[in-house]
Amino acid sequence: LCRLTPGAFPKKAMFVNSGAEAIENAVKIARHATGKPGVLCFDHAFHGRTLLTLSLTSKVEPYKAGFGPMVDDVVRSPVAYCYRCPVDRTYPACEIACLELVEQRLRNVAERSTIAAVLFEPVLGEGGFIVLPREYLSRLAALCRSHGILVIADEIQSGFGRTGRMFACEHAGVIPDILVTAKSLAGGLPLAAVVGRAELMDSPGVGGLGGTFGGNPLALAAAHAVLDTFEQQNLLSRSEVIGARVEARARAWAATSPLVGDIRRLGGMVGIELVRDRATKEPAKDETNRIVRMACERGLILMPAGTYDNVIRILVPLVVSDEELDEGLDVIGACLEHVTRRLDVAQTF
């Protein structure tokens, strides 16, 4: 992992069981190494369900409701959600104007000298597969470093080839001080990792980091098998092939269904945002849920995502065959067509 993650400097890695544990430890390391308590995070983000990671997570329902109060020293900023731009501009003509909102937070909401780290997902997962522009990520990293703020990349969903690179931050040339990965790391077994600059990882004292089952032998053996498969089957290039195939189908759906408001992808991570009206971008939450239920009845499991529960996210295994992929896409297309017809009839009356 130290070799595979971005950055030509000494690194160390620690293993835990889940992404939430890894985020917790990354923040602990950043706080200990800098002596600062604060963490800068973003709207629409999801980082876990423990108390600290819930505090870093943006969406209230169903994640945060009833579990407060949240952890202090968390500063949240709007993010570059281009389809729903927080400054009402259009990418790329906007020249990443929304980055000014981050600077405003650092000027007016938090004392910059108290912020230990910025935590970001290069592609927001539960937030609806929002692909952050490369310029935004590179300038965000540069801005934070100019203020002595560490850069933590949450690659729990986007890591391990999901975007066509081993890690999504590589697309933007961002080299994080700490990188967190999980999920695909061990092919479904409970394993997550924190990989960071050696001097940061060494900052906590003996016993400050750890856990009973972290780095258990079975999960680590699975992770070795995952890495072997990447090398043997060229899965990084396969991710791009899968994503392009899904996007092509989604573009065809958009041509016939007004429900399709936005299609966004990076490699094999594809998000299809559904709206009731393309002009107003009113989220089509009920229609999305109807498609998910219909797909399940036809043997396909989908998971909606997004702050408004109106994004169909497609993140299939990189070892999927073309036939299996097409079978699943056929189901989605049929369900979307059915729900679109119902919507047309309802609007007629």
Side-chain angles (χ1 to χ4, degrees):
L1 279 179
C2 291
R3 177 174 56 84
L4 289 173
T5 50
F9 43 76
K11 302 173 197 161
K12 289 190 176 181
M14 69 167 293
F15 295 105
V16 289
N17 303 293
S18 67
E21 279 185 83
I23 294 293
E24 292 259 358
N25 279 280
V27 172
K28 285 171 59 180
I29 291 165
R31 283 178 164 178
H32 198 281
T34 64
K36 304 173 186 178
V39 182
L40 173 66
C41 58
F42 295 94
D43 288 346
H44 309 291
F46 179 89
H47 297 292
R49 292 181 176 88
T50 62
L51 188 56
L52 172 59
T53 56
L54 268 184
S55 303
L56 297 165
T57 290
S58 175
K59 190 175 180 179
V60 174
E61 293 285 354
Y63 303 122
K64 302 171 78 165
F67 296 119
M70 296 292 118
V71 175
D72 292 332
D73 297 312
V74 170
V75 179
R76 192 176 311 282
S77 174
V79 75
Y81 188 171
C82 294
Y83 183 62
R84 300 180 182 275
C85 178
V87 293
D88 198 25
R89 302 281 289 276
T90 302
Y91 177 80
C94 64
E95 298 182 343
I96 315 299
C98 58
L99 192 65
E100 172 61 25
L101 299 175
V102 179
E103 297 185 76
Q104 288 177 9
R105 293 300 189 277
L106 293 176
R107 282 198 306 267
N108 304 327
V109 178
E111 185 179 347
R112 284 171 289 190
S113 62
T114 67
I115 303 297
V118 59
L119 174 64
F120 68 91
E121 302 165 89
V123 181
L124 278 68
E126 302 296 320
F129 278 22
I130 301 168
V131 181
L132 301 186
R134 298 177 185 186
E135 314 95 296
Y136 180 86
L137 287 175
S138 59
R139 288 172 56 183
L140 172 66
L143 171 66
C144 289
R145 288 211 167 91
S146 71
H147 294 303
I149 297 171
L150 297 178
V151 175
I152 303 176
D154 180 343
E155 294 260 14
I156 291 168
Q157 281 205 37
S158 59
F160 277 84
R162 291 300 199 168
T163 66
R165 298 284 185 92
M166 188 59 78
F167 298 101
C169 60
E170 296 179 67
H171 291 278
V174 171
I175 299 176
D177 299 294
I178 299 173
L179 185 146
V180 177
T181 187
K183 295 193 185 296
S184 300
L185 169 60
L189 272 72
L191 185 67
V194 183
V195 187
R197 294 180 181 272
E199 68 272 18
L200 301 177
M201 302 293 287
D202 284 339
S203 179
V206 175
L209 306 174
T212 303
F213 299 109
N216 73 83
L218 180 60
L220 287 177
H224 278 290
V226 166
L227 293 178
D228 290 343
T229 304
F230 265 95
E231 293 180 359
Q232 295 162 3
Q233 299 188 23
N234 196 19
L235 293 186
L236 292 182
S237 62
R238 179 61 180 162
S239 177
E240 177 61 29
V241 170
I242 290 170
R245 198 179 188 98
V246 173
E247 182 181 3
R249 292 290 294 273
R251 298 289 175 195
W253 299 334
T256 59
S257 173
L259 279 172
V260 180
D262 189 38
I263 300 164
R264 44 190 182 254
R265 82 171 177 97
L266 188 60
M269 296 186 75
V270 185
I272 304 169
E273 182 158 355
L274 303 183
V275 295
R276 294 183 61 87
D277 186 300
R278 285 179 175 173
T280 65
K281 301 180 182 178
E282 177 190 353
K285 177 179 178 178
D286 291 343
E287 291 78 8
T288 303
N289 288 333
R290 195 172 300 130
I291 289 170
V292 170
R293 289 196 302 271
M294 286 182 61
C296 184
E297 292 167 359
R298 300 182 184 200
L300 177 68
I301 298 174
L302 295 176
M303 291 184 68
T307 298
Y308 311 104
D309 297 312
N310 67 321
V311 178
I312 294 176
R313 52 177 167 174
I314 301 178
L315 191 65
V316 301
L318 299 182
V319 294
V320 69
S321 69
D322 290 345
E323 293 75 20
E324 290 168 330
L325 180 59
D326 287 341
E327 181 182 358
L329 294 174
D330 288 343
V331 172
I332 298 175
C335 295
L336 177 63
E337 181 182 2
H338 178 84
V339 172
T340 300
R341 284 201 307 268
R342 288 189 57 178
L343 181 64
D344 289 342
V345 171
Q347 289 177 342
T348 299
F349 293 96

